[in-house]
Amino acid sequence: MELILKSNSKSKLDKVLALARELGIRVEQKEEPVTKTAVVPKGKAVPASTLLESFGKGSDFPSTDEVRSKAWPSSW
């Protein structure tokens, strides 16, 4: 028989393991990979005018003609 115990409380798990040892129950502990929760960084306030000044000036930004050629046919 297999019994799976999961808890965030180390003290509770220690108590259960101690009781199992007293009762002569063989216990195997498996380490599960710890999943990290994603932390969203706090943003900084940037005025919209500053963002609009640099919009479209990147080297990988498509030209106006390239955008029009891809967007126009899909609207029909």
Side-chain angles (χ1 to χ4, degrees):
M1 178 170 66
E2 181 176 332
L3 178 64
I4 299 173
L5 300 173
K6 292 184 180 184
S7 176
N8 290 336
S9 173
K10 184 169 174 17
S11 63
K12 289 181 182 179
L13 284 176
D14 290 340
K15 289 178 184 178
V16 170
L17 293 174
L19 179 61
R21 279 188 224 107
E22 284 182 25
L23 296 173
I25 299 171
R26 186 182 68 154
V27 177
E28 292 180 22
Q29 287 182 283
K30 294 182 181 179
E31 295 295 325
E32 293 187 13
V34 177
T35 56
K36 295 182 179 180
T37 57
V39 178
V40 178
K42 291 186 178 180
K44 57 181 180 179
V46 178
S49 58
T50 305
L51 294 174
L52 291 173
E53 286 174 4
S54 62
F55 182 77
K57 294 185 179 174
S59 60
D60 59 342
F61 200 82
S63 67
T64 306
D65 293 333
E66 189 178 349
V67 172
R68 285 182 182 152
S69 70
K70 290 182 180 178
W72 184 261
S74 64
S75 65
W76 288 94

Short mmCIF file of all heavy atoms in Angstrom, two decimals:
data_model
loop_
_atom_site.label_atom_id
_atom_site.label_comp_id
_atom_site.label_asym_id
_atom_site.label_seq_id
_atom_site.Cartn_x
_atom_site.Cartn_y
_atom_site.Cartn_z
N MET A 1 0.85 -1.16 0.00
CA MET A 1 0.00 0.00 0.00
C MET A 1 0.90 1.23 0.00
O MET A 1 1.95 1.25 0.63
CB MET A 1 -0.89 0.00 1.25
CG MET A 1 -1.77 1.23 1.32
SD MET A 1 -3.04 1.20 2.60
CE MET A 1 -2.11 1.22 4.07
N GLU A 2 0.45 2.24 -0.71
CA GLU A 2 1.22 3.48 -0.78
C GLU A 2 0.36 4.61 -0.25
O GLU A 2 -0.81 4.74 -0.60
CB GLU A 2 1.60 3.76 -2.24
CG GLU A 2 2.42 5.01 -2.41
CD GLU A 2 2.87 5.20 -3.86
OE1 GLU A 2 3.01 4.21 -4.59
OE2 GLU A 2 3.06 6.36 -4.24
N LEU A 3 0.95 5.41 0.60
CA LEU A 3 0.26 6.56 1.19
C LEU A 3 1.10 7.79 0.90
O LEU A 3 2.30 7.81 1.19
CB LEU A 3 0.09 6.37 2.70
CG LEU A 3 -0.56 7.49 3.47
CD1 LEU A 3 -2.01 7.68 3.01
CD2 LEU A 3 -0.52 7.21 4.95
N ILE A 4 0.50 8.78 0.29
CA ILE A 4 1.22 10.00 -0.06
C ILE A 4 0.78 11.12 0.87
O ILE A 4 -0.41 11.41 0.97
CB ILE A 4 0.96 10.39 -1.53
CG1 ILE A 4 1.44 9.27 -2.45
CG2 ILE A 4 1.65 11.70 -1.87
CD1 ILE A 4 1.08 9.48 -3.90
N LEU A 5 1.73 11.70 1.55
CA LEU A 5 1.46 12.82 2.44
C LEU A 5 2.13 14.07 1.89
O LEU A 5 3.31 14.05 1.58
CB LEU A 5 2.00 12.55 3.85
CG LEU A 5 1.44 11.33 4.57
CD1 LEU A 5 2.20 11.09 5.86
CD2 LEU A 5 -0.03 11.53 4.85
N LYS A 6 1.39 15.14 1.80
CA LYS A 6 1.95 16.40 1.35
C LYS A 6 1.53 17.48 2.34
O LYS A 6 0.36 17.55 2.72
CB LYS A 6 1.44 16.78 -0.04
CG LYS A 6 1.92 15.88 -1.14
CD LYS A 6 1.46 16.35 -2.50
CE LYS A 6 1.97 15.43 -3.58
NZ LYS A 6 1.61 15.92 -4.91
N SER A 7 2.47 18.30 2.72
CA SER A 7 2.17 19.38 3.64
C SER A 7 3.24 20.44 3.52
O SER A 7 4.40 20.15 3.23
CB SER A 7 2.12 18.85 5.08
OG SER A 7 1.91 19.92 5.98
N ASN A 8 2.85 21.67 3.79
CA ASN A 8 3.81 22.77 3.81
C ASN A 8 4.40 22.96 5.20
O ASN A 8 5.31 23.74 5.39
CB ASN A 8 3.14 24.07 3.36
CG ASN A 8 2.81 24.05 1.89
OD1 ASN A 8 3.42 23.33 1.12
ND2 ASN A 8 1.82 24.82 1.49
N SER A 9 3.87 22.23 6.18
CA SER A 9 4.31 22.35 7.56
C SER A 9 5.32 21.25 7.87
O SER A 9 4.98 20.07 7.94
CB SER A 9 3.12 22.26 8.51
OG SER A 9 3.56 22.22 9.83
N LYS A 10 6.56 21.65 8.08
CA LYS A 10 7.61 20.68 8.37
C LYS A 10 7.37 20.02 9.72
O LYS A 10 7.60 18.81 9.87
CB LYS A 10 8.98 21.36 8.35
CG LYS A 10 10.13 20.39 8.55
CD LYS A 10 11.45 21.03 8.26
CE LYS A 10 12.65 20.19 8.56
NZ LYS A 10 12.52 18.80 8.72
N SER A 11 6.86 20.75 10.69
CA SER A 11 6.64 20.16 12.01
C SER A 11 5.58 19.07 11.97
O SER A 11 5.71 18.04 12.64
CB SER A 11 6.25 21.24 13.03
OG SER A 11 5.02 21.83 12.66
N LYS A 12 4.54 19.26 11.17
CA LYS A 12 3.49 18.24 11.05
C LYS A 12 4.04 16.98 10.37
O LYS A 12 3.74 15.87 10.79
CB LYS A 12 2.29 18.78 10.28
CG LYS A 12 1.49 19.79 11.05
CD LYS A 12 0.30 20.27 10.25
CE LYS A 12 -0.47 21.33 11.00
NZ LYS A 12 -1.61 21.84 10.24
N LEU A 13 4.84 17.16 9.34
CA LEU A 13 5.44 16.01 8.67
C LEU A 13 6.38 15.26 9.60
O LEU A 13 6.42 14.03 9.61
CB LEU A 13 6.19 16.45 7.41
CG LEU A 13 5.34 16.79 6.20
CD1 LEU A 13 6.19 17.30 5.05
CD2 LEU A 13 4.55 15.58 5.74
N ASP A 14 7.15 16.00 10.41
CA ASP A 14 8.06 15.36 11.36
C ASP A 14 7.28 14.52 12.37
O ASP A 14 7.70 13.43 12.73
CB ASP A 14 8.91 16.41 12.07
CG ASP A 14 9.94 17.04 11.15
OD1 ASP A 14 10.26 16.44 10.10
OD2 ASP A 14 10.42 18.15 11.47
N LYS A 15 6.14 15.02 12.82
CA LYS A 15 5.31 14.27 13.77
C LYS A 15 4.78 12.98 13.14
O LYS A 15 4.78 11.92 13.77
CB LYS A 15 4.14 15.13 14.26
CG LYS A 15 4.56 16.24 15.19
CD LYS A 15 3.35 17.08 15.59
CE LYS A 15 3.78 18.26 16.45
NZ LYS A 15 2.63 19.11 16.81
N VAL A 16 4.33 13.07 11.89
CA VAL A 16 3.81 11.89 11.21
C VAL A 16 4.92 10.87 11.00
O VAL A 16 4.72 9.66 11.21
CB VAL A 16 3.16 12.28 9.86
CG1 VAL A 16 2.84 11.06 9.03
CG2 VAL A 16 1.91 13.11 10.10
N LEU A 17 6.11 11.32 10.62
CA LEU A 17 7.24 10.41 10.41
C LEU A 17 7.66 9.76 11.72
O LEU A 17 7.99 8.57 11.76
CB LEU A 17 8.41 11.16 9.77
CG LEU A 17 8.18 11.63 8.34
CD1 LEU A 17 9.36 12.48 7.87
CD2 LEU A 17 7.96 10.46 7.42
N ALA A 18 7.65 10.51 12.82
CA ALA A 18 7.99 9.95 14.13
C ALA A 18 6.98 8.88 14.53
O ALA A 18 7.36 7.81 15.04
CB ALA A 18 8.05 11.06 15.18
N LEU A 19 5.70 9.13 14.32
CA LEU A 19 4.66 8.15 14.64
C LEU A 19 4.82 6.89 13.78
O LEU A 19 4.68 5.77 14.27
CB LEU A 19 3.28 8.77 14.42
CG LEU A 19 2.08 7.86 14.69
CD1 LEU A 19 2.08 7.40 16.14
CD2 LEU A 19 0.79 8.57 14.36
N ALA A 20 5.15 7.08 12.51
CA ALA A 20 5.35 5.94 11.63
C ALA A 20 6.51 5.07 12.12
O ALA A 20 6.42 3.83 12.11
CB ALA A 20 5.60 6.42 10.20
N ARG A 21 7.59 5.70 12.56
CA ARG A 21 8.74 4.95 13.08
C ARG A 21 8.35 4.16 14.32
O ARG A 21 8.75 3.01 14.50
CB ARG A 21 9.90 5.89 13.39
CG ARG A 21 10.69 6.26 12.16
CD ARG A 21 11.97 7.04 12.51
NE ARG A 21 12.06 8.14 11.56
CZ ARG A 21 11.83 9.41 11.82
NH1 ARG A 21 11.51 9.79 13.02
NH2 ARG A 21 11.94 10.32 10.88
N GLU A 22 7.56 4.77 15.20
CA GLU A 22 7.11 4.09 16.42
C GLU A 22 6.27 2.86 16.09
O GLU A 22 6.32 1.85 16.77
CB GLU A 22 6.29 5.04 17.30
CG GLU A 22 7.10 6.04 18.06
CD GLU A 22 6.22 6.92 18.95
OE1 GLU A 22 5.12 6.49 19.35
OE2 GLU A 22 6.64 8.04 19.22
N LEU A 23 5.46 2.97 15.05
CA LEU A 23 4.59 1.87 14.66
C LEU A 23 5.29 0.84 13.78
O LEU A 23 4.71 -0.18 13.44
CB LEU A 23 3.36 2.41 13.92
CG LEU A 23 2.44 3.31 14.75
CD1 LEU A 23 1.36 3.91 13.86
CD2 LEU A 23 1.82 2.52 15.89
N GLY A 24 6.53 1.10 13.42
CA GLY A 24 7.29 0.16 12.60
C GLY A 24 6.94 0.22 11.13
O GLY A 24 7.09 -0.77 10.41
N ILE A 25 6.45 1.35 10.69
CA ILE A 25 6.09 1.52 9.29
C ILE A 25 7.31 2.07 8.54
O ILE A 25 7.93 3.05 8.96
CB ILE A 25 4.90 2.49 9.14
CG1 ILE A 25 3.68 1.91 9.88
CG2 ILE A 25 4.59 2.75 7.68
CD1 ILE A 25 2.52 2.87 9.97
N ARG A 26 7.64 1.40 7.45
CA ARG A 26 8.76 1.85 6.63
C ARG A 26 8.33 3.07 5.82
O ARG A 26 7.28 3.06 5.17
CB ARG A 26 9.20 0.73 5.69
CG ARG A 26 10.45 1.08 4.89
CD ARG A 26 10.80 -0.03 3.98
NE ARG A 26 9.74 -0.09 2.96
CZ ARG A 26 9.91 -0.58 1.73
NH1 ARG A 26 11.04 -1.09 1.39
NH2 ARG A 26 8.92 -0.58 0.87
N VAL A 27 9.14 4.10 5.84
CA VAL A 27 8.80 5.36 5.17
C VAL A 27 9.89 5.69 4.15
O VAL A 27 11.07 5.64 4.46
CB VAL A 27 8.68 6.51 6.20
CG1 VAL A 27 8.40 7.82 5.49
CG2 VAL A 27 7.60 6.21 7.22
N GLU A 28 9.45 5.98 2.94
CA GLU A 28 10.36 6.46 1.90
C GLU A 28 9.96 7.89 1.56
O GLU A 28 8.80 8.15 1.26
CB GLU A 28 10.24 5.60 0.64
CG GLU A 28 10.75 4.20 0.79
CD GLU A 28 10.62 3.41 -0.49
OE1 GLU A 28 10.53 4.02 -1.57
OE2 GLU A 28 10.60 2.17 -0.40
N GLN A 29 10.93 8.77 1.63
CA GLN A 29 10.65 10.16 1.30
C GLN A 29 11.16 10.45 -0.10
O GLN A 29 12.30 10.13 -0.44
CB GLN A 29 11.32 11.10 2.30
CG GLN A 29 10.65 11.10 3.65
CD GLN A 29 11.32 12.09 4.57
OE1 GLN A 29 12.38 11.82 5.09
NE2 GLN A 29 10.65 13.22 4.76
N LYS A 30 10.31 11.07 -0.88
CA LYS A 30 10.68 11.47 -2.23
C LYS A 30 10.72 12.99 -2.26
O LYS A 30 9.80 13.66 -1.83
CB LYS A 30 9.65 10.97 -3.25
CG LYS A 30 9.60 9.47 -3.38
CD LYS A 30 8.60 9.06 -4.43
CE LYS A 30 8.53 7.56 -4.54
NZ LYS A 30 7.54 7.15 -5.53
N GLU A 31 11.80 13.49 -2.78
CA GLU A 31 11.93 14.94 -2.92
C GLU A 31 11.28 15.35 -4.22
O GLU A 31 11.63 14.86 -5.29
CB GLU A 31 13.40 15.36 -2.91
CG GLU A 31 14.09 15.10 -1.58
CD GLU A 31 13.52 15.93 -0.45
OE1 GLU A 31 13.12 17.09 -0.70
OE2 GLU A 31 13.46 15.41 0.67
N GLU A 32 10.31 16.21 -4.13
CA GLU A 32 9.66 16.73 -5.33
C GLU A 32 10.34 18.02 -5.74
O GLU A 32 10.78 18.79 -4.89
CB GLU A 32 8.17 16.97 -5.07
CG GLU A 32 7.40 15.70 -4.83
CD GLU A 32 5.91 15.96 -4.74
OE1 GLU A 32 5.46 17.07 -5.11
OE2 GLU A 32 5.20 15.05 -4.31
N PRO A 33 10.40 18.26 -7.03
CA PRO A 33 11.01 19.52 -7.47
C PRO A 33 10.19 20.70 -6.97
O PRO A 33 8.96 20.68 -7.00
CB PRO A 33 10.98 19.43 -9.00
CG PRO A 33 9.98 18.38 -9.33
CD PRO A 33 9.92 17.46 -8.15
N VAL A 34 10.88 21.68 -6.47
CA VAL A 34 10.22 22.86 -5.95
C VAL A 34 9.85 23.77 -7.11
O VAL A 34 10.69 24.12 -7.93
CB VAL A 34 11.15 23.61 -4.97
CG1 VAL A 34 10.50 24.88 -4.47
CG2 VAL A 34 11.55 22.70 -3.82
N THR A 35 8.58 24.10 -7.19
CA THR A 35 8.15 25.01 -8.25
C THR A 35 8.22 26.43 -7.72
O THR A 35 7.72 26.73 -6.64
CB THR A 35 6.72 24.69 -8.71
OG1 THR A 35 5.86 24.75 -7.58
CG2 THR A 35 6.65 23.32 -9.34
N LYS A 36 8.85 27.25 -8.47
CA LYS A 36 8.97 28.65 -8.07
C LYS A 36 7.81 29.43 -8.65
O LYS A 36 7.42 29.23 -9.79
CB LYS A 36 10.29 29.24 -8.57
CG LYS A 36 11.50 28.60 -7.95
CD LYS A 36 12.77 29.25 -8.44
CE LYS A 36 13.98 28.60 -7.80
NZ LYS A 36 15.22 29.22 -8.26
N THR A 37 7.29 30.30 -7.84
CA THR A 37 6.21 31.15 -8.33
C THR A 37 6.82 32.33 -9.06
O THR A 37 7.86 32.86 -8.67
CB THR A 37 5.32 31.64 -7.19
OG1 THR A 37 6.14 32.35 -6.24
CG2 THR A 37 4.64 30.49 -6.48
N ALA A 38 6.19 32.72 -10.12
CA ALA A 38 6.68 33.84 -10.90
C ALA A 38 6.39 35.14 -10.17
O ALA A 38 5.31 35.35 -9.65
CB ALA A 38 6.01 33.87 -12.26
N VAL A 39 7.38 35.98 -10.11
CA VAL A 39 7.23 37.27 -9.48
C VAL A 39 7.26 38.32 -10.57
O VAL A 39 8.22 38.41 -11.33
CB VAL A 39 8.37 37.53 -8.46
CG1 VAL A 39 8.24 38.89 -7.85
CG2 VAL A 39 8.36 36.45 -7.39
N VAL A 40 6.22 39.06 -10.66
CA VAL A 40 6.13 40.11 -11.67
C VAL A 40 6.84 41.35 -11.13
O VAL A 40 6.51 41.84 -10.05
CB VAL A 40 4.66 40.44 -12.00
CG1 VAL A 40 4.58 41.55 -13.01
CG2 VAL A 40 3.94 39.20 -12.48
N PRO A 41 7.85 41.82 -11.87
CA PRO A 41 8.55 43.00 -11.38
C PRO A 41 7.66 44.23 -11.43
O PRO A 41 6.80 44.37 -12.29
CB PRO A 41 9.73 43.14 -12.35
CG PRO A 41 9.31 42.42 -13.57
CD PRO A 41 8.37 41.34 -13.14
N LYS A 42 7.90 45.10 -10.48
CA LYS A 42 7.14 46.34 -10.48
C LYS A 42 7.64 47.23 -11.60
O LYS A 42 8.84 47.39 -11.80
CB LYS A 42 7.30 47.06 -9.14
CG LYS A 42 6.64 46.33 -8.00
CD LYS A 42 6.69 47.14 -6.74
CE LYS A 42 5.98 46.40 -5.62
NZ LYS A 42 6.01 47.15 -4.38
N GLY A 43 6.71 47.78 -12.35
CA GLY A 43 7.07 48.63 -13.48
C GLY A 43 7.40 50.04 -13.02
O GLY A 43 7.09 50.45 -11.92
N LYS A 44 8.05 50.74 -13.90
CA LYS A 44 8.33 52.14 -13.58
C LYS A 44 7.42 53.00 -14.43
O LYS A 44 7.03 52.63 -15.54
CB LYS A 44 9.79 52.48 -13.82
CG LYS A 44 10.29 52.21 -15.21
CD LYS A 44 11.75 52.54 -15.34
CE LYS A 44 12.23 52.26 -16.74
NZ LYS A 44 13.63 52.60 -16.92
N ALA A 45 7.07 54.13 -13.91
CA ALA A 45 6.17 55.03 -14.62
C ALA A 45 6.94 55.76 -15.72
O ALA A 45 7.97 56.36 -15.49
CB ALA A 45 5.58 56.04 -13.65
N VAL A 46 6.42 55.63 -16.94
CA VAL A 46 7.02 56.30 -18.08
C VAL A 46 5.90 57.08 -18.77
O VAL A 46 4.86 56.50 -19.09
CB VAL A 46 7.65 55.28 -19.07
CG1 VAL A 46 8.23 55.99 -20.27
CG2 VAL A 46 8.69 54.44 -18.38
N PRO A 47 6.11 58.35 -19.02
CA PRO A 47 5.06 59.12 -19.70
C PRO A 47 4.79 58.58 -21.10
O PRO A 47 5.70 58.11 -21.79
CB PRO A 47 5.62 60.54 -19.76
CG PRO A 47 6.87 60.55 -18.98
CD PRO A 47 7.26 59.15 -18.69
N ALA A 48 3.54 58.63 -21.52
CA ALA A 48 3.15 58.13 -22.83
C ALA A 48 3.87 58.87 -23.95
O ALA A 48 4.22 58.28 -24.97
CB ALA A 48 1.65 58.25 -23.01
N SER A 49 4.12 60.15 -23.76
CA SER A 49 4.80 60.93 -24.81
C SER A 49 6.21 60.38 -25.08
O SER A 49 6.66 60.32 -26.22
CB SER A 49 4.87 62.40 -24.42
OG SER A 49 5.56 62.55 -23.19
N THR A 50 6.89 59.93 -24.04
CA THR A 50 8.22 59.35 -24.20
C THR A 50 8.15 58.04 -24.98
O THR A 50 8.98 57.77 -25.84
CB THR A 50 8.87 59.10 -22.83
OG1 THR A 50 8.86 60.31 -22.08
CG2 THR A 50 10.28 58.60 -22.97
N LEU A 51 7.14 57.23 -24.66
CA LEU A 51 6.98 55.97 -25.38
C LEU A 51 6.65 56.20 -26.85
O LEU A 51 7.16 55.50 -27.73
CB LEU A 51 5.89 55.12 -24.73
CG LEU A 51 6.18 54.62 -23.33
CD1 LEU A 51 4.95 53.93 -22.76
CD2 LEU A 51 7.36 53.67 -23.34
N LEU A 52 5.81 57.17 -27.13
CA LEU A 52 5.42 57.44 -28.51
C LEU A 52 6.56 58.03 -29.34
O LEU A 52 6.62 57.83 -30.54
CB LEU A 52 4.20 58.36 -28.54
CG LEU A 52 2.90 57.73 -28.03
CD1 LEU A 52 1.80 58.77 -27.94
CD2 LEU A 52 2.48 56.57 -28.91
N GLU A 53 7.46 58.75 -28.69
CA GLU A 53 8.61 59.32 -29.41
C GLU A 53 9.51 58.22 -29.97
O GLU A 53 10.04 58.36 -31.08
CB GLU A 53 9.43 60.22 -28.48
CG GLU A 53 8.77 61.53 -28.17
CD GLU A 53 9.54 62.33 -27.13
OE1 GLU A 53 10.63 61.89 -26.70
OE2 GLU A 53 9.05 63.40 -26.72
N SER A 54 9.69 57.13 -29.22
CA SER A 54 10.59 56.07 -29.67
C SER A 54 9.86 54.94 -30.40
O SER A 54 10.51 54.02 -30.89
CB SER A 54 11.34 55.49 -28.47
OG SER A 54 10.43 54.92 -27.56
N PHE A 55 8.55 55.01 -30.50
CA PHE A 55 7.79 53.93 -31.13
C PHE A 55 8.11 53.83 -32.62
O PHE A 55 8.09 54.82 -33.34
CB PHE A 55 6.28 54.17 -30.96
CG PHE A 55 5.44 53.07 -31.54
CD1 PHE A 55 5.30 51.88 -30.88
CD2 PHE A 55 4.81 53.24 -32.76
CE1 PHE A 55 4.54 50.86 -31.41
CE2 PHE A 55 4.03 52.23 -33.30
CZ PHE A 55 3.90 51.04 -32.63
N GLY A 56 8.44 52.64 -33.07
CA GLY A 56 8.71 52.40 -34.49
C GLY A 56 10.11 52.70 -34.93
O GLY A 56 10.42 52.57 -36.12
N LYS A 57 10.99 53.09 -34.04
CA LYS A 57 12.35 53.45 -34.44
C LYS A 57 13.35 52.31 -34.27
O LYS A 57 14.51 52.47 -34.60
CB LYS A 57 12.82 54.67 -33.64
CG LYS A 57 12.00 55.91 -33.99
CD LYS A 57 12.53 57.14 -33.31
CE LYS A 57 11.67 58.34 -33.71
NZ LYS A 57 12.02 59.54 -33.00
N GLY A 58 12.89 51.17 -33.80
CA GLY A 58 13.78 50.02 -33.64
C GLY A 58 14.18 49.44 -34.98
O GLY A 58 13.48 49.58 -35.98
N SER A 59 15.33 48.75 -35.01
CA SER A 59 15.83 48.19 -36.27
C SER A 59 14.96 47.03 -36.77
O SER A 59 14.91 46.76 -37.96
CB SER A 59 17.26 47.71 -36.09
OG SER A 59 17.31 46.71 -35.08
N ASP A 60 14.26 46.35 -35.86
CA ASP A 60 13.43 45.22 -36.28
C ASP A 60 11.97 45.61 -36.50
O ASP A 60 11.13 44.77 -36.77
CB ASP A 60 13.50 44.10 -35.23
CG ASP A 60 13.04 44.55 -33.86
OD1 ASP A 60 12.99 45.78 -33.62
OD2 ASP A 60 12.73 43.68 -33.03
N PHE A 61 11.66 46.88 -36.43
CA PHE A 61 10.29 47.34 -36.62
C PHE A 61 9.99 47.39 -38.12
O PHE A 61 10.77 47.93 -38.90
CB PHE A 61 10.12 48.74 -36.02
CG PHE A 61 8.69 49.11 -35.75
CD1 PHE A 61 8.06 48.68 -34.60
CD2 PHE A 61 7.97 49.86 -36.65
CE1 PHE A 61 6.74 49.01 -34.35
CE2 PHE A 61 6.65 50.20 -36.41
CZ PHE A 61 6.04 49.77 -35.26
N PRO A 62 8.87 46.81 -38.58
CA PRO A 62 8.57 46.80 -40.02
C PRO A 62 8.23 48.19 -40.55
O PRO A 62 7.74 49.05 -39.82
CB PRO A 62 7.36 45.86 -40.12
CG PRO A 62 6.73 45.90 -38.78
CD PRO A 62 7.84 46.15 -37.80
N SER A 63 8.47 48.35 -41.84
CA SER A 63 8.15 49.65 -42.46
C SER A 63 6.64 49.78 -42.61
O SER A 63 5.89 48.81 -42.51
CB SER A 63 8.82 49.73 -43.83
OG SER A 63 8.23 48.78 -44.70
N THR A 64 6.18 50.99 -42.89
CA THR A 64 4.74 51.25 -43.07
C THR A 64 4.19 50.44 -44.23
O THR A 64 3.10 49.86 -44.13
CB THR A 64 4.52 52.76 -43.33
OG1 THR A 64 5.14 53.49 -42.28
CG2 THR A 64 3.05 53.09 -43.37
N ASP A 65 4.92 50.37 -45.33
CA ASP A 65 4.47 49.60 -46.50
C ASP A 65 4.35 48.11 -46.18
O ASP A 65 3.43 47.45 -46.64
CB ASP A 65 5.43 49.81 -47.68
CG ASP A 65 5.37 51.24 -48.20
OD1 ASP A 65 4.31 51.88 -48.04
OD2 ASP A 65 6.39 51.70 -48.75
N GLU A 66 5.28 47.60 -45.39
CA GLU A 66 5.25 46.19 -45.03
C GLU A 66 4.02 45.88 -44.16
O GLU A 66 3.35 44.87 -44.35
CB GLU A 66 6.53 45.82 -44.28
CG GLU A 66 6.71 44.35 -44.05
CD GLU A 66 8.02 44.04 -43.35
OE1 GLU A 66 8.88 44.95 -43.23
OE2 GLU A 66 8.19 42.89 -42.93
N VAL A 67 3.71 46.78 -43.25
CA VAL A 67 2.53 46.59 -42.40
C VAL A 67 1.26 46.68 -43.23
O VAL A 67 0.35 45.86 -43.07
CB VAL A 67 2.51 47.65 -41.27
CG1 VAL A 67 1.20 47.61 -40.50
CG2 VAL A 67 3.68 47.46 -40.33
N ARG A 68 1.20 47.64 -44.13
CA ARG A 68 0.01 47.79 -44.98
C ARG A 68 -0.21 46.57 -45.87
O ARG A 68 -1.33 46.12 -46.07
CB ARG A 68 0.14 49.04 -45.85
CG ARG A 68 -0.09 50.31 -45.10
CD ARG A 68 0.01 51.50 -46.01
NE ARG A 68 -0.15 52.73 -45.25
CZ ARG A 68 0.37 53.88 -45.59
NH1 ARG A 68 1.11 53.99 -46.68
NH2 ARG A 68 0.17 54.94 -44.84
N SER A 69 0.88 46.03 -46.43
CA SER A 69 0.74 44.88 -47.32
C SER A 69 0.23 43.65 -46.59
O SER A 69 -0.47 42.82 -47.18
CB SER A 69 2.07 44.57 -48.00
OG SER A 69 2.99 44.06 -47.05
N LYS A 70 0.52 43.52 -45.32
CA LYS A 70 0.06 42.36 -44.55
C LYS A 70 -1.32 42.60 -43.96
O LYS A 70 -2.09 41.66 -43.80
CB LYS A 70 1.06 42.04 -43.45
CG LYS A 70 2.36 41.50 -43.99
CD LYS A 70 3.31 41.15 -42.89
CE LYS A 70 4.60 40.61 -43.49
NZ LYS A 70 5.59 40.29 -42.47
N ALA A 71 -1.64 43.83 -43.59
CA ALA A 71 -2.91 44.10 -42.90
C ALA A 71 -4.07 44.33 -43.87
O ALA A 71 -5.19 43.94 -43.59
CB ALA A 71 -2.74 45.34 -42.01
N TRP A 72 -3.82 44.93 -44.99
CA TRP A 72 -4.90 45.29 -45.92
C TRP A 72 -5.64 44.07 -46.45
O TRP A 72 -6.87 44.01 -46.36
CB TRP A 72 -4.33 46.13 -47.07
CG TRP A 72 -5.37 46.63 -48.00
CD1 TRP A 72 -5.73 46.09 -49.20
CD2 TRP A 72 -6.26 47.73 -47.83
NE1 TRP A 72 -6.74 46.79 -49.78
CE2 TRP A 72 -7.08 47.81 -48.95
CE3 TRP A 72 -6.40 48.68 -46.81
CZ2 TRP A 72 -8.06 48.81 -49.10
CZ3 TRP A 72 -7.38 49.66 -46.96
CH2 TRP A 72 -8.20 49.70 -48.09
N PRO A 73 -4.98 43.03 -46.98
CA PRO A 73 -5.72 41.88 -47.52
C PRO A 73 -6.55 41.15 -46.45
O PRO A 73 -7.60 40.60 -46.76
CB PRO A 73 -4.65 40.96 -48.08
CG PRO A 73 -3.47 41.83 -48.29
CD PRO A 73 -3.57 42.90 -47.25
N SER A 74 -6.09 41.14 -45.21
CA SER A 74 -6.81 40.39 -44.19
C SER A 74 -8.08 41.10 -43.75
O SER A 74 -8.94 40.48 -43.13
CB SER A 74 -5.91 40.17 -42.97
OG SER A 74 -5.57 41.39 -42.37
N SER A 75 -8.22 42.37 -44.05
CA SER A 75 -9.42 43.09 -43.63
C SER A 75 -10.58 42.86 -44.58
O SER A 75 -11.71 43.22 -44.28
CB SER A 75 -9.13 44.58 -43.50
OG SER A 75 -8.82 45.14 -44.77
N TRP A 76 -10.34 42.27 -45.74
CA TRP A 76 -11.43 42.05 -46.71
C TRP A 76 -12.12 40.77 -46.43
O TRP A 76 -11.90 39.75 -46.37
CB TRP A 76 -10.87 42.06 -48.13
CG TRP A 76 -10.48 43.45 -48.51
CD1 TRP A 76 -9.26 44.01 -48.40
CD2 TRP A 76 -11.35 44.46 -49.05
NE1 TRP A 76 -9.30 45.29 -48.83
CE2 TRP A 76 -10.57 45.61 -49.25
CE3 TRP A 76 -12.69 44.51 -49.38
CZ2 TRP A 76 -11.08 46.78 -49.74
CZ3 TRP A 76 -13.19 45.68 -49.88
CH2 TRP A 76 -12.39 46.81 -50.07
#
